[in-house]
Amino acid sequence: MSNKHYYSWKECLIDIQKIARQVSLSDFKPDVIVGVSRGGLVPAVALSHWFQLPMVPIQTALRDFPNWVTYTPEQKHKNVLIVDDVCDGGETFHKINDEIKEFCDVAKFSSLWWNNECNFTPHYFAREVAKDSENLWIHFPWEFENTQEYITD
């Protein structure tokens, strides 16, 4: 059985702000926020509001309900920030990068959680974990498994 971390809405919102700060303090100025379906949609919407930029959802699931729709950025979107909830194995980010690199000037990747045992390092992340070694499973608040674990005062 894996160790479970019930990631709260409060933690999530704080971590989204951490990523917004990292992006704001960098030289990167995105034209668009791209949310990776499903888990990246919530943080992508929040970052879209933070930066007052359009948000584009993309279907790029390799694990749960596998479905991949190729994403091509609009011509005006030269600096793309791709957002997911967790960079687990790196496959999703690698595949997106391979697909879009010829269409944009700069693509940067962000995730709330980064599994530092994978073969991809996002440009921006809020939490680093050795997910495999620690046998950790992260339950995000939008997943609604054991909902009572999310309820706070």
Side-chain angles (χ1 to χ4, degrees), residues 78-98:
K78 295 296 185 188
N79 299 316
V80 180
L81 179 62
I82 297 96
V83 181
D84 206 353
D85 55 354
V86 61
C87 180
D88 199 359
E91 295 87 1
T92 302
F93 280 170
H94 275 300
K95 190 169 179 181
I96 293 169
N97 190 52
D98 289 344

Side-chain angles (χ1 to χ4, degrees), residues 3 10 18-19 23 32 43-44 51-52 64 75 77 80 82 88 90 92 94 101 103-104 106 114 117 123 127 141:
N3 299 312
K10 183 177 180 178
K18 287 178 185 176
I19 291 171
V23 174
V32 64
F51 290 110
Q52 297 295 299
D64 299 332
Q75 282 188 332
H77 296 154
V80 180
I82 297 96
D88 199 359
T92 302
H94 275 300
K101 61 185 172 190
F103 299 105
C104 57
V106 180
W114 170 49
E117 297 173 314
H123 299 89
R127 294 177 185 242

